[in-house]
């Protein structure tokens, strides 16, 4: 306080002494010196001047205490000062001062507020929090403990649970809460973290988990009640609201209201659809925790469990069923679920996917056939949840309106619910991050690319030497090394190669096998160039070294030996290039700068870094871990579960483990992710999102941006391609167009809108019905199956048997001689199957992957995948390639155990 009032009382010399004491020893010592000088004053009126100066400087509490000579209010603050001192370590790790400073400004003086903001900006949030504690400990305002409590509760900060104020304040707040709870017709008993929607199981540290905080009454916010209102009135509704606003709680509210509306003797039945397994598990956990305590039966079925349970019984015996949508599609097709009339409410999570042949749309085709076909059975209410309805390829408002209307027609929705009346409240919960575009230059020269490009040219020349017609295998022109277009060229060449025919079958086999090898190596080189473009040369080179190490460990025929030798001749030069500092990637330097800057400003920053490929995920993780400038980062990775080429994705347990570590344990403060993190999966709130050469459609943009939903969050798009920035700017324009169209549609008369929807539905059904293909007649002619790589004869279709409608095995000892078995890297038991080994072509230097070997009940059998083979018509010699068994219409004979005994 001394710095603000001493100028009115003393000469400049004393002022400088006190200021020096503050700078050298701190404010307490300066205040002591201030009082010493004060008591030495002889001038008349110094005491009144001192009080007036206190009041003018903002020390109103001290002014009132000295004026009335009553220090009880200030003395009462001592217990809170002691508590704050004790909690200071926790305070500085949990509090973001800039979030609560505006609420506390009346408890501090202006100079202190400015100092806190300056420290937050220059030294980071933890240093700012330490300064805030120092200022609060000096505060003379009697209400600062209560003001701090209310500010923390408004921000839903966990520190508020530790910061206890006097009983009177607690009682008032409890009574207020109870009064407010009576105004709502529902009490949510599942505590939601408002900014990150941590609704998944174990979403807080074990020390914080208790029956009390999991099931304590929770009042839905007004904007959530607004979103739920049309659905509570029984209307089919698309709920469109930002990621992180608590749409799951809105669904819980709608679900409970729906189940409770049925009179005695009648019951509702709800099905909730989730696209991804992690999302499915999250929602099953949320619904189970909330509804089972109310006496409702909740269960879930996914692809991983569907084979082990009777789906029709599960649906019949439960009130709420969480499903991955393909389960219902399959059971509707089989007839085990007779119709959608068994449900009274269907909820589609991420409902913008309801298009084309997506399982959501297949379910709604069934619904609309029932609606438009005049079926007497009642139809369920339909609710869709999404952060963005999208506009597709719309170029103007009219096309965008048509797209949104088609989505509404697909979901039979008569209402799009958005937040309008409570927008200010929503904006206090979900913060739209600032968007920044960073255009960076690529390497000036790229020696690595020059060397690899030459190796690729040489490999292409070798391929053309054995097959002069190679260019005719694909229509893709102007392919460039290190691009997705080149990858597409490789795919089309390999497919053409599989059905390539010559009179000399041995020569055909030799050429096809060699072309597979050449194109496989070209693919790895192409991958390496993509990695090098976006990451370090070292990461790209390591990728190639791993590949050639695996090549050496396998068959290693003459062609592979030649290709490996060519690579190794360039290896020393490549190693030298990877160590040369002049080949550093400018994009990585810019990424490093962003991360350093943001974590300097706020050491508690939590980041999601989106990239396009799994290989780039690994490369950037290695770069971060090996970069001393980024020692403060603890990276985790999140990729999809599918398999691309020879790269297996993350298992479901691995995904769950990394999400838990990111959300709860604080083991990672940056998550490097592919598109799997875009949609639906519950990820902790982040204040920094970086899109690293990553852009998609408007829905993807909204979802990735929605991951950065903490206050003051930022979103960077970092790219060396101006076209990427242009595409993202187009997405931003489309987002505005989408929001304008929704607002326009909400002004329509509801009856007019329903008529419009019905017209679209009728038109779409006519098109659908006219395009329906008759069920194909199975071809009973016997055909050959040839190895897709070496073209050796494997078996005949007459030898194939179908197990449980979806697994294909081959009978006879002759087939057993054609393959070799190796241990499966991921053995697994499911239903009647025990997956143990993989099977490969036994022909020398081929080893093409044919499928798996498993135990089915008591039988040891091979199970083959059709994409590994070429089908040859015996009469005409025509060869055909199939990617799925369902596309191959031959006579499919069911598996008969009796045949195994012959």
């Amino acid at each position: 306080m001394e710095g603000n009032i001493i100028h009115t009382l003393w000469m400049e010399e004393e002022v400088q002494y006190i200021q020096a004491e503050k700078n050298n020893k701190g404010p307490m010592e300066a205040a002591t010196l201030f009082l010493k000088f004060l008591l030495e004053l002889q001038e008349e009126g110094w005491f009144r001047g001192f009080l007036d100066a206190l009041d003018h400087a903002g020390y109103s509490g001290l002014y009132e205490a000295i004026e009335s000579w009553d220090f009880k209010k200030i003395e009462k603050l001592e217990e809170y000062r002691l508590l704050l001192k004790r909690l200071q370590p926790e305070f500085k790790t949990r509090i973001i001062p800039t979030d609560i400073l505006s609420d506390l400004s009346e408890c501090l003086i202006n100079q202190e507020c400015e100092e806190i903001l300056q420290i937050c900006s220059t030294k980071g949030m933890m240093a700012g929090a330490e300064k805030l504690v120092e200022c609060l400990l000096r505060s003379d305002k009697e209400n600062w403990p209560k003001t701090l409590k209310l500010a923390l509760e408004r921000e839903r900060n966990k520190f508020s649970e530790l910061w206890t104020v006097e009983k009177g304040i607690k009682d008032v707040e409890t009574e207020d809460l109870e009064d407010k709870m009576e105004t709502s017709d529902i009490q949510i008993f599942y505590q939601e973290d408002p900014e990150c929607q941590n609704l998944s199981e174990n979403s807080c540290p074990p020390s914080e988990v208790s029956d009390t905080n999991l099931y304590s009454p929770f009042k839905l916010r007004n904007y959530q009640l607004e979103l739920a209102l049309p659905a509570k009135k029984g209307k089919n509704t698309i709920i469109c609201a930002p990621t992180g606003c608590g749409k799951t709680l809105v669904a819980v509210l709608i679900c409970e209201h729906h189940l409770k509306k049925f009179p005695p003797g009648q019951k509702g039945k709800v099905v909730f659809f989730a696209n991804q397994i992690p999302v499915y598990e999250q929602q099953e956990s949320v619904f189970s925790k909330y509804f089972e305590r109310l006496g409702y039966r909740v269960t879930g079925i996914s692809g991983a469990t569907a084979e082990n349970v009777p789906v029709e019984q599960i649906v019949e015996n439960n009130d709420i069923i969480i499903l991955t949508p393909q389960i219902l599609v399959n059971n509707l097709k089989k007839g085990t679920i007779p119709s959608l009339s068994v449900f009274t409410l269907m909820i589609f999570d991420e409902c913008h996917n309801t298009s084309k042949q997506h399982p959501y749309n297949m379910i709604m085709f069934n619904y609309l056939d029932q609606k438009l076909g005049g079926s007497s059975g009642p139809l369920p209410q339909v609710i869709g949840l999404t952060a963005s309805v999208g506009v597709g390829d719309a170029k103007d408002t009219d096309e965008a309106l048509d797209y949104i209307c088609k989505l509404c027609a697909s979901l039979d929705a008569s209402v799009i619910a958005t937040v309008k009346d409570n927008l200010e409240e929503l904006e206090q919960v979900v913060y739209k991050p600032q968007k920044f575009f960073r255009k960076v230059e690529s390497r000036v020269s790229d020696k690595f690319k020059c060397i690899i490009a030459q190796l690729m040219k040489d490999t292409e020349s070798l391929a053309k030497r054995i097959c002069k017609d190679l260019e005719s295998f694909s229509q893709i022109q102007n392919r460039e090394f290190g691009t997705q277009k080149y990858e597409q060229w490789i795919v089309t060449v390999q497919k053409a190669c599989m059905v390539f025919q010559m009179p000399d079958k041995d020569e055909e086999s030799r050429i096809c096998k060699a072309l597979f090898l050449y194109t496989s190596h070209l693919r790895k080189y192409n991958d390496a160039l993509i990695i090098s473009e976006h990451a370090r040369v070292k990461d790209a080179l390591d990728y190639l070294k791993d590949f050639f190490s695996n090549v050496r460990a396998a068959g290693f025929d003459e062609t592979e030996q030649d290709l490996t030798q060519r690579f190794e001749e360039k290896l020393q030069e490549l190693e030298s290039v990877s160590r040369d500092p002049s080949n550093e990637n400018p994009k990585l330097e810019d990424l490093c700068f962003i991360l350093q800057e943001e974590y300097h400003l706020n050491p508690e920053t939590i980041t999601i870094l989106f990239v396009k490929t799994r290989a780039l995920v690994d490369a950037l993780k290695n770069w971060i871990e090996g970069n001393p400038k980024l020692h403060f980062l603890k990276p985790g990775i999140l990729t999809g579960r599918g398999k691309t080429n020879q790269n297996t994705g993350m298992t479901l347990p691995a995904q769950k483990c990394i999400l838990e570590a990111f959300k709860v344990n604080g083991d990672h403060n940056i998550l490097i992710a592919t598109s799997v993190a875009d949609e639906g999966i519950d990820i902790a709130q982040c204040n920094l999102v970086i899109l690293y050469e990553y852009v998609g459609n408007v829905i993807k943009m909204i979802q990735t941006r929605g991951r950065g939903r903490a206050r003051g969050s930022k979103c960077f798009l970092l790219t060396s391609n101006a076209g990427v920035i242009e595409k993202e700017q187009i997405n931003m324009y489309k987002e505005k167009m989408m929001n304008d169209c929704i607002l326009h549609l909400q002004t329509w008369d509801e009856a007019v809108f329903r008529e419009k929807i019905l017209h679209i539905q009728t038109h779409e059904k006519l098109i659908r019905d006219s395009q329906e293909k008759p069920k194909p007649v199975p071809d009973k002619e016997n055909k050959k199956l040839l190895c897709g790589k070496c073209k050796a004869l494997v078996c005949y279709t007459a030898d194939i048997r179908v197990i449980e409608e979806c697994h294909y095995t081959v009978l006879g000892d002759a087939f057993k001689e054609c393959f070799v078995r190796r241990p499966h890297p991921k053995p697994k038991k499911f239903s009647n199957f025990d997956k143990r080994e993989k099977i490969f072509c036994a022909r020398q230097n081929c080893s093409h992957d044919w499928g798996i070997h498993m135990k089915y009940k008591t039988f040891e059998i091979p199970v083959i995948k059709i994409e590994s083979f070429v089908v040859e018509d015996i009469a005409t010699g025509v060869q055909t390639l199939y990617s799925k068994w369902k596309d191959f219409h031959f006579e499919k004979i069911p598996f008969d155990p009796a045949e195994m005994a012959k």
Side-chain angles (χ1 to χ4, degrees):
M1 69 180 181
E2 62 289 345
N4 288 343
I5 63 175
I6 55 179
H7 288 278
T8 63
L9 299 172
W10 291 304
M11 301 294 289
E12 189 64 32
E13 186 176 351
E14 285 94 347
V15 172
Q16 290 179 0
Y17 274 130
I18 294 170
Q19 193 65 49
E21 192 76 350
K22 179 185 176 185
N23 294 338
N24 295 328
K25 296 183 179 179
M28 292 289 286
E29 287 74 14
T32 302
L33 183 59
F34 168 85
L35 289 173
K36 178 177 177 295
F37 285 145
L38 184 67
L39 295 173
E40 290 173 355
L41 287 172
Q42 300 297 319
E43 287 85 356
E44 186 178 344
W46 69 265
F47 186 74
R48 172 47 55 186
F50 169 57
L51 288 181
D52 291 342
L54 279 176
D55 190 34
H56 179 73
Y59 293 96
S60 56
L62 192 57
Y63 167 81
E64 290 171 9
I66 297 174
E67 176 79 15
S68 62
W69 211 248
D70 182 357
F71 295 90
K72 289 179 182 177
K73 290 180 179 178
I74 288 182
E75 287 169 354
K76 277 185 179 180
L77 295 174
E78 189 58 26
E79 62 179 295
Y80 296 110
R81 294 192 183 102
L82 292 172
L83 179 61
L84 187 55
K85 286 178 182 177
R86 188 183 307 162
L87 296 175
Q88 183 176 5
E90 192 71 3
F91 185 95
K92 70 180 185 181
T93 60
R94 292 203 188 196
I95 301 300
I96 298 176
T98 51
D99 285 354
I100 61 173
L101 195 57
S102 60
D103 294 332
L104 291 170
S105 59
E106 292 183 2
C107 303
L108 306 170
I109 61 173
N110 291 337
Q111 182 183 335
E112 289 174 330
C113 292
E114 290 169 4
E115 287 178 356
I116 291 166
L117 288 172
Q118 180 65 25
I119 289 172
C120 287
S121 174
T122 57
K123 297 183 179 179
M125 293 300 168
M126 286 185 71
E130 287 182 331
K131 183 65 178 177
L132 177 57
V133 169
E134 178 189 316
C135 295
L136 287 173
L137 291 174
R138 291 202 306 267
S139 177
D140 63 338
K141 310 299 187 296
E142 66 169 320
N143 66 332
W144 76 257
K146 178 180 177 181
T147 304
L148 176 59
K149 176 76 172 177
L150 295 174
L152 293 169
E153 288 183 342
R154 190 179 73 80
E155 287 299 315
R156 303 297 197 274
N157 193 294
K158 291 284 187 182
F159 188 80
S160 66
E161 298 170 10
L162 302 175
W163 184 246
T164 54
V165 292
E166 65 263 24
K167 186 176 186 297
I169 295 173
K170 279 189 175 180
D171 291 344
V172 169
E173 289 173 352
T174 305
E175 288 168 9
D176 287 349
L177 180 62
E178 288 170 355
D179 289 342
K180 289 176 183 176
M181 290 300 293
E182 290 174 5
T183 66
S184 172
D185 58 355
I186 181 174
Q187 290 184 349
I188 295 296
F189 284 83
Y190 190 89
Q191 182 77 32
E192 181 204 18
D193 183 330
E195 290 180 1
C196 61
Q197 195 188 336
N198 268 338
L199 294 171
S200 59
E201 192 169 8
N202 298 328
S203 60
C204 52
S207 61
E208 297 177 14
V209 175
S210 68
D211 291 341
T212 304
N213 70 19
L214 277 176
Y215 300 107
S216 58
F218 184 91
K219 181 183 180 297
L220 281 166
R221 297 186 179 88
N222 290 326
Y223 74 77
Q224 291 171 317
L225 295 172
E226 181 185 350
L227 288 170
L229 192 59
K232 286 173 66 179
K233 292 179 179 178
K235 297 175 182 178
N236 288 359
T237 306
I238 293 175
I239 295 171
C240 184
T243 301
C245 72
K247 289 190 291 290
T248 297
L249 289 185
V250 176
V252 169
L253 164 62
I254 293 167
C255 189
E256 181 175 19
H257 182 271
H258 177 83
L259 291 171
K260 285 184 174 179
K261 76 177 184 180
F262 287 89
Q266 296 183 29
K267 289 182 68 176
K269 191 175 294 290
V270 179
V271 59
F272 187 107
F273 298 110
N275 269 313
Q276 301 182 35
I277 296 292
V279 181
Y280 151 81
E281 292 190 334
Q282 285 169 195
Q283 307 299 13
E284 184 187 12
S285 173
V286 172
F287 276 76
S288 295
K289 281 191 172 85
Y290 180 72
F291 283 102
E292 286 179 355
R293 58 168 291 282
L294 298 176
Y296 294 104
R297 288 170 295 184
V298 182
T299 194
I301 315 172
S302 68
T305 59
E307 292 183 342
N308 302 321
V309 296
V311 175
E312 64 275 22
Q313 288 181 25
I314 292 291
V315 170
E316 185 179 342
N317 296 334
N318 287 274
D319 303 300
I320 301 171
I321 305 98
I322 317 295
L323 285 179
T324 46
Q326 191 62 46
I327 302 297
L328 185 58
V329 172
N330 294 344
N331 282 272
L332 285 168
K333 195 178 292 184
K334 291 177 186 175
T336 48
I337 303 295
S339 81
L340 295 175
S341 295
V342 300
F343 304 109
T344 57
L345 174 64
M346 299 194 301
I347 303 175
F348 294 83
D349 194 29
E350 309 294 352
C351 70
H352 52 264
N353 290 302
T354 313
S355 64
K356 300 180 181 176
Q357 297 303 306
H358 190 279
Y360 279 1
N361 221 19
M362 304 304 289
I363 291 167
M364 288 309 298
F365 286 165
N366 192 294
Y367 174 103
L368 293 170
D369 286 347
Q370 194 171 334
K371 172 186 174 179
L372 301 173
S375 172
S376 58
L379 287 166
Q381 184 183 359
V382 178
I383 305 297
L385 308 175
T386 184
S388 169
V389 294
V391 294
D393 297 324
K395 297 176 183 62
D396 55 41
T397 303
D398 288 341
E399 289 181 5
L401 277 170
D402 286 343
Y403 181 91
I404 296 170
C405 285
K406 282 184 179 178
L407 179 65
C408 291
S410 296
L411 287 160
D412 199 34
S414 59
V415 177
I416 301 176
T418 57
V419 178
K420 293 193 289 185
D421 297 339
N422 298 281
L423 202 54
E424 190 175 326
E425 182 191 39
L426 174 64
E427 289 169 352
Q428 291 299 310
V429 175
V430 181
Y431 307 102
K432 190 173 181 178
Q434 291 177 274
K435 194 72 175 278
F436 301 93
F437 298 115
R438 304 275 293 209
K439 170 71 168 63
V440 294
E441 299 303 318
S442 298
R443 292 182 181 91
V444 176
S445 63
D446 196 337
K447 295 178 184 176
F448 180 82
K449 184 171 185 178
C450 290
I451 297 168
I452 297 301
Q454 188 57 54
L455 285 169
M456 293 178 78
K457 287 176 186 175
D458 293 345
T459 306
E460 278 194 8
S461 297
L462 291 170
K464 290 174 183 176
R465 193 180 299 170
I466 68 159
C467 181
K468 294 182 174 59
D469 297 328
L470 180 65
E471 290 300 333
S472 66
F473 280 27
S474 172
Q475 300 302 311
I476 295 175
Q477 302 297 319
N478 302 319
R479 60 186 185 274
E480 291 183 26
F481 297 142
T483 62
Q484 194 62 37
K485 195 172 185 180
Y486 194 85
E487 165 69 21
Q488 291 168 357
W489 177 79
I490 291 170
V491 170
T492 54
V493 167
Q494 289 188 341
K495 286 184 175 179
C497 182
M498 290 181 77
V499 293
F500 174 68
Q501 291 180 273
M502 295 179 69
D504 185 336
K505 293 302 175 184
D506 289 338
E507 183 66 6
E508 176 188 314
S509 175
R510 186 186 71 82
I511 290 174
C512 286
K513 191 176 73 169
L515 284 178
F516 261 101
L517 286 174
Y518 290 135
T519 51
S520 295
H521 281 68
L522 286 169
R523 171 179 278 130
K524 293 300 178 181
Y525 283 136
N526 195 62
D527 289 346
L529 288 179
I530 292 173
I531 294 170
S532 171
E533 183 186 352
H534 302 313
R536 297 176 298 180
V537 170
K538 178 185 182 300
D539 300 307
L541 184 55
D542 287 345
Y543 179 81
L544 288 175
K545 285 158 70 175
D546 287 345
F547 168 68
F548 280 102
S549 174
N550 292 331
V551 168
R552 278 188 169 279
F556 207 51
D557 66 7
E558 288 181 13
T559 304
E560 289 172 316
Q561 289 174 32
D562 177 48
L563 290 171
T564 303
Q565 183 181 341
R566 290 169 184 270
F567 170 74
E568 289 176 345
E569 286 172 357
K570 298 290 184 181
L571 185 55
Q572 188 174 350
E573 188 179 358
L574 289 168
E575 294 276 17
S576 176
V577 169
S578 73
R579 291 190 295 267
D580 186 347
S582 68
N583 291 311
E584 292 293 331
N585 195 328
K587 278 191 283 196
L588 289 183
E589 292 174 12
D590 202 58
L591 177 60
C592 182
F593 173 78
I594 291 170
L595 292 168
Q596 284 180 297
E597 188 76 7
E598 294 304 318
Y599 280 83
H600 171 72
L601 292 173
N602 178 10
E604 304 304 303
T605 290
I606 302 293
T607 303
I608 293 187
L609 173 60
F610 282 102
V611 299
K612 287 189 290 190
T613 67
R614 292 176 187 166
L616 199 51
V617 167
D618 295 331
L620 288 180
K621 181 175 185 287
N622 293 336
W623 168 70
I624 288 172
E625 291 175 335
N627 191 335
K629 293 180 181 178
L630 301 176
H631 63 90
F632 50 87
L633 292 179
K634 298 178 286 184
I637 64 173
L638 182 66
T639 64
R641 297 191 300 126
K643 183 177 178 181
T644 57
N645 300 335
Q646 297 305 310
N647 300 320
T648 303
M650 290 182 78
T651 63
L652 181 57
Q655 283 184 339
K656 291 166 66 178
C657 182
I658 201 73
L659 285 171
E660 197 72 13
F662 189 59
K663 287 189 298 183
V664 179
N665 304 328
D667 293 348
H668 304 294
N669 58 1
I670 180 170
L671 189 66
I672 310 168
T674 56
S675 60
V676 70
D678 271 358
E679 187 173 307
I681 296 177
D682 180 20
I683 295 174
Q685 80 173 17
C686 301
N687 60 318
L688 181 61
V689 175
I690 301 176
L691 310 177
Y692 191 74
E693 294 285 5
Y694 184 98
V695 68
N697 57 28
V698 65
I699 292 172
K700 184 183 287 287
M701 182 196 76
I702 291 169
Q703 288 168 333
T704 51
R705 186 187 65 203
R707 295 298 163 206
R709 52 196 188 236
R711 181 178 289 189
S713 57
K714 299 176 184 177
C715 180
F716 287 89
L717 171 61
L718 195 155
T719 178
S720 59
N721 184 350
V724 171
I725 292 176
E726 184 182 349
K727 186 172 182 182
E728 192 73 352
Q729 289 171 333
I730 291 170
N731 284 339
M732 293 171 73
Y733 165 73
K734 285 187 172 184
E735 181 187 8
K736 182 181 182 304
M737 186 164 63
M738 177 192 77
N739 291 330
D740 290 345
C741 287
I742 290 173
L743 287 172
H744 178 64
L745 287 172
Q746 288 172 334
T747 65
W748 285 24
D749 178 79
E750 202 169 311
V752 173
F753 186 63
R754 275 200 297 266
E755 189 63 34
K756 166 84 170 174
I757 294 305
L758 180 61
H759 175 75
I760 293 171
Q761 290 171 341
T762 306
H763 178 68
E764 292 289 318
K765 179 169 169 53
L766 283 171
I767 295 173
R768 208 161 56 241
D769 290 346
S770 67
Q771 291 176 342
E772 269 191 12
K773 297 176 183 176
K775 195 172 181 179
V777 178
D779 186 349
K780 296 186 179 182
E781 294 295 323
N782 201 10
K783 292 180 174 23
K784 293 179 181 178
L785 259 66
L786 312 179
C787 174
K789 185 175 179 181
C790 70
K791 291 295 191 74
L793 175 62
V794 174
C795 67
Y796 293 87
T797 52
D799 303 323
I800 297 174
R801 297 294 182 269
V802 187
I803 302 172
E804 296 188 7
E805 299 184 5
C806 56
H807 304 292
Y808 293 77
T809 189
V810 182
L811 301 180
D813 293 335
F815 179 67
K816 294 177 184 177
E817 301 298 321
C818 295
F819 65 82
V820 293
R821 292 152 61 171
R822 296 174 195 157
H824 200 289
K826 294 180 180 178
K828 179 183 176 182
K829 290 184 179 180
F830 57 98
S831 189
N832 295 314
F833 301 92
D834 183 0
K835 181 172 66 175
R836 297 177 175 179
E837 297 170 302
K838 288 188 69 65
I839 60 172
F840 302 87
C841 179
R843 200 171 186 195
Q844 188 177 10
N845 299 325
C846 181
S847 298
H848 192 41
D849 182 355
W850 284 359
I852 59 176
H853 207 275
M854 60 167 58
K855 185 175 183 179
Y856 171 63
K857 295 182 178 177
T858 60
F859 304 104
E860 295 280 350
I861 57 170
V863 174
I864 61 173
K865 49 185 180 181
I866 190 60
E867 63 264 34
S868 296
F869 302 92
V870 174
V871 177
E872 182 177 286
D873 188 290
I874 295 174
T876 64
V878 173
Q879 294 183 349
T880 311
L881 189 63
Y882 297 100
S883 59
K884 295 179 181 177
W885 282 107
K886 68 177 184 179
D887 299 326
F888 181 20
H889 304 299
F890 69 105
E891 187 175 22
K892 297 173 183 176
I893 306 170
F895 177 78
D896 182 357
E899 288 188 279
M900 300 295 288
K902 294 179 182 178

